[in-house]
């Protein structure tokens, strides 16, 4: 089975595949003949040809046995799990928790270690299986993929011993050598760890990434303010970096010598994704700014589209701004809707154009300022030859037909990810849902429509005696 998959990959070597917002190169036929072919997908941990879904639970407890035989629970030690893709979509049962107390996993589980707070998938050791980079408190681990999925791992040494190690993790081939590299955040600095990594977690080399200034890349939301994609029509991955508090962002283009800064700046925000919305071959940058005030409506939110070019962003093409008042977009601007709190992209209606998915967790909530009740929803804005358009946009509220009804109050969405987990060429939208018992929804799409006639699979935290539940179950690799 594995041999057949690799043979198919070698034949398709010159192609690229849009997966979860990233354009992932499949490598060259010569490389495939010389050794293991690159994994078909950057998130196929068991090499069966399906995308898989890695999920972190950084605030969960981990149970360890003391020297006296007594069991102690390390609160906030954290764990990760994988919902493996298959013909039916996301795996719902039989999930296993992997913590730093699991056999073969590098490091040691510690109280407050927050293992699983940041995740990034890619084939880091170039063996043909996707691996998972896991960030915690001042630590980074690599969990290795295998025929049976994630199995064992190692810690990545920090050669600089700077604060904030592992605050952000982003995977991609930033040097164009066909190997997966890892960008690691250090509080206000990014460094490129060049792949492939050795079994002990050592990269080929490391170098600082010049972002033009110190960009805070720590704290909640830092991972969402950085995106990987192919902006300038090349076969090498690029990086878009936004600063905190809506600081203007920068586009960094990949190349043989690493990531290089471009003079272009873009309006900042809290979320960003890269996709080709107008099918011209260039990756376009969509930035969600959920804190934006429109007229007097605070926190109403906007999304801005910057169209790609050979130099990064096309400065001769006007930036487009979308709000809930844009013609064709359902609803209207209101205080606290937070339109743009999360953004993702995929070709949902299979017309060749990437569509934009926008989260608005404040939409359809109570108007009282201190209420936390059920609410939120997501918008789908279509791609076209002119780029993203409001025409034909749709909105799906938290209670849309086909969506589950969790126990207690819940709000969607604060994170979004698009992935085809059942290989039907129709991407699902993955949504972590904060409710009485946190869960992850894999929402089906069909002909561009969300839920309804397409099933939603609900992934719940694994039942494992070695871990205790956490309220943050639902951190996604992205």
């Amino acid at each position: 089975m594995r041999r057949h998959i690799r043979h198919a990959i070698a034949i398709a070597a010159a192609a690229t595949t849009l997966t979860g917002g990233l354009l992932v190169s499949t490598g060259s036929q010569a490389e495939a003949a010389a050794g293991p072919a690159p994994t078909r997908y950057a998130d196929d941990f068991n090499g069966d040809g399906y995308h898989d879904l890695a999920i972190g639970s950084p605030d969960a407890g981990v149970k360890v046995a003391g020297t006296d035989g007594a069991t102690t629970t390390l609160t906030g030690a954290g764990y990760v799990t994988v919902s493996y893709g298959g013909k039916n979509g996301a795996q719902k049962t039989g999930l296993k928790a992997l913590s730093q107390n699991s056999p073969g996993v590098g490091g040691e589980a510690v109280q407050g270690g927050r293992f699983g707070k940041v995740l990034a998938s890619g084939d880091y050791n170039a063996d043909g299986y996707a691996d998972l980079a896991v960030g915690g408190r001042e630590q980074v681990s690599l969990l290795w993929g295998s025929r049976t999925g994630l199995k064992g791992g190692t810690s990545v040494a920090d050669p600089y011993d700077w604060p904030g190690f592992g605050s952000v993790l982003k995977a991609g081939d930033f040097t164009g050598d066909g190997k997966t590299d890892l960008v690691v955040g250090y509080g206000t600095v990014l460094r490129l760890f060049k792949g492939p990594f050795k079994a002990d977690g050592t990269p080929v080399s490391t170098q600082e990434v010049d972002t033009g200034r110190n960009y805070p890349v720590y704290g909640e939301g830092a991972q969402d303010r950085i995106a990987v994609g192919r902006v300038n029509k090349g076969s090498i991955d690029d990086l878009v970096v936004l600063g905190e508090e809506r600081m203007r962002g920068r586009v960094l283009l990949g190349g043989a010598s690493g990531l290089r800064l471009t003079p272009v700046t873009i309006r900042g925000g809290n979320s960003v994704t890269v996709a080709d919305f107008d099918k011209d071959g260039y990756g376009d940058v969509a930035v969600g700014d959920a804190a934006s005030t429109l007229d007097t409506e605070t926190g109403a939110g906007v999304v801005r589209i910057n169209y790609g070019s050979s130099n990064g962003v096309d400065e001769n093409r006007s930036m487009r701004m979308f709000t809930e008042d844009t013609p064709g977009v359902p609803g209207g601007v209101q205080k606290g809707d937070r339109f743009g709190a999360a953004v993702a992209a995929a070709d949902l209606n299979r017309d060749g154009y990437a569509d934009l998915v926008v989260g608005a967790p404040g939409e359809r909530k109570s108007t009282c300022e201190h209420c936390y009740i059920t609410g939120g929803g997501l918008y789908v804005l279509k791609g076209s030859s002119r780029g993203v358009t409001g025409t034909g946009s749709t909105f799906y509220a938290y209670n849309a037909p086909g969506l589950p009804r969790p126990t207690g109050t819940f709000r969607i969405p604060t994170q979004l990810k698009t992935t085809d987990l059942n290989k039907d060429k129709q991407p699902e939208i993955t949504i972590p849902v904060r409710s009485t018992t946190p869960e992850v929804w894999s929402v089906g799409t069909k002909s561009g429509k969300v839920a309804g006639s397409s099933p939603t699979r609900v992934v719940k935290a694994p039942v494992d005696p070695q871990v205790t539940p956490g309220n943050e179950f639902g951190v996604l690799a992205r």
Side-chain angles (χ1 to χ4, degrees):
M1 177 68 175
R2 183 73 180 167
R3 179 178 297 176
H4 293 311
I5 292 173
R6 287 180 176 167
H7 180 65
I9 294 168
I11 293 174
T16 57
T17 305
L18 182 62
T19 61
L22 304 184
L23 285 166
V24 181
S25 173
T26 57
S28 69
Q29 190 167 359
E31 289 170 343
T39 186
R40 183 175 182 183
Y41 301 128
D43 51 4
D44 180 8
F45 303 115
N46 58 1
D48 64 354
Y50 289 93
H51 293 282
D52 302 318
L53 187 62
I55 305 170
S57 185
D59 67 333
V62 174
K63 298 178 181 179
V64 297
T67 54
D68 58 356
T71 299
T72 301
T73 299
L74 302 175
T75 58
Y79 71 83
V80 299
T81 189
V82 176
S83 171
Y84 290 93
K87 64 179 181 180
N88 295 318
Q91 175 189 2
K92 297 195 297 183
T93 60
L95 277 67
K96 301 181 184 301
L98 288 171
S99 73
Q100 289 183 291
N101 198 42
S102 299
V105 176
E108 180 181 358
V110 296
Q111 187 151 312
R114 294 187 58 76
F115 184 74
K117 74 170 186 176
V118 183
L119 306 176
S121 57
D123 185 8
Y124 297 113
N125 59 0
D127 70 346
Y129 295 94
D131 313 305
L132 185 66
V134 184
R137 187 185 66 188
E138 305 287 338
Q139 59 181 317
V140 176
S141 301
L142 295 177
L143 304 184
W144 303 123
S146 72
R147 185 178 58 83
T148 56
L150 291 183
K151 185 178 180 181
T154 186
S155 297
V156 177
D158 175 11
Y160 306 100
D161 195 26
W162 292 347
F165 178 56
S167 58
V168 162
L169 298 174
K170 293 291 178 179
D173 178 11
F174 302 110
T175 60
D177 63 356
K179 310 300 181 185
T180 303
D181 311 308
L182 183 64
V183 170
V184 180
Y186 279 90
T188 59
V189 175
L190 296 174
R191 296 201 72 91
L192 175 64
F193 284 55
K194 191 177 185 302
F197 287 74
K198 296 180 181 178
D200 64 357
T202 303
V204 171
S205 62
T206 66
Q207 65 185 78
E208 186 169 340
V209 176
D210 181 11
T211 58
R213 59 176 297 175
N214 286 338
Y215 276 83
V217 289
Y218 55 84
E220 185 177 357
Q223 183 80 348
D224 297 324
R225 296 195 302 271
I226 301 179
V228 180
R230 294 183 178 171
V231 177
N232 67 341
K233 217 173 189 174
S235 59
I236 303 175
D237 289 320
D238 309 312
L239 200 69
V240 179
V241 182
L242 308 180
E244 68 174 357
E245 297 181 352
R246 302 156 74 193
M247 185 185 299
R248 291 189 73 87
R250 304 301 294 264
V251 176
L252 288 74
L253 299 181
S257 59
L259 290 160
R260 63 179 176 85
L261 182 66
T262 64
V264 176
T265 64
I266 57 177
R267 292 282 295 274
N270 58 273
S271 61
V272 59
T273 192
V274 179
D276 187 359
F277 297 114
D278 57 3
K279 206 166 63 173
D280 67 351
Y282 295 105
D284 309 312
V285 182
V287 177
D289 181 5
S292 184
T293 297
L294 300 175
D295 295 327
T296 60
E297 305 296 329
T298 58
V302 303
V303 175
R304 301 180 180 93
I305 311 294
N306 304 268
Y307 289 95
S309 73
S310 58
N311 296 317
V313 171
D314 189 348
E315 294 184 290
N316 295 318
R317 188 173 177 182
S318 297
M319 178 268 292
R320 292 290 308 279
M321 186 174 82
F322 294 86
T323 73
E324 291 172 302
D325 276 349
T326 297
V329 176
V333 166
Q334 285 186 313
K335 176 182 178 180
D337 281 351
R338 295 187 57 76
F339 179 81
V343 291
D347 183 6
L348 300 182
N349 58 4
R350 298 176 64 178
D351 65 352
Y353 298 95
D355 304 308
L356 179 65
V357 186
V358 181
E363 178 67 27
R364 299 203 181 179
K365 64 174 178 55
S366 171
T367 55
C368 64
E369 293 185 8
H370 302 291
C371 290
Y372 185 83
I373 66 170
T374 297
L378 59 88
Y379 291 83
V380 176
L381 281 65
K382 294 181 178 180
S384 71
S385 59
R386 294 175 287 114
V388 175
T389 176
T391 303
S393 298
T394 49
F395 173 73
Y396 302 90
Y398 68 93
N399 58 353
L403 293 183
R405 298 291 187 273
T407 302
T409 62
F410 63 99
R411 184 68 56 79
I412 65 168
T414 53
Q415 290 182 32
L416 292 170
K417 180 182 175 72
T418 54
T419 316
D420 181 9
L421 293 165
N422 61 0
K423 209 159 59 173
D424 66 350
K425 299 182 181 179
Q426 196 72 64
E428 292 81 50
I429 302 174
T430 304
I431 304 172
V433 179
R434 299 286 184 261
S435 61
T436 302
T437 302
E439 55 194 36
V440 174
W441 297 353
S442 178
V443 183
T445 65
K446 186 175 182 179
S447 301
K449 304 298 183 181
V450 176
S453 60
S454 300
T456 293
R457 294 179 69 84
V458 178
V459 180
K460 296 183 181 292
V463 178
D464 190 320
Q466 299 302 311
V467 299
T468 61
N471 293 323
E472 296 179 25
F473 176 77
V475 173
L476 302 178
R478 61 200 192 286

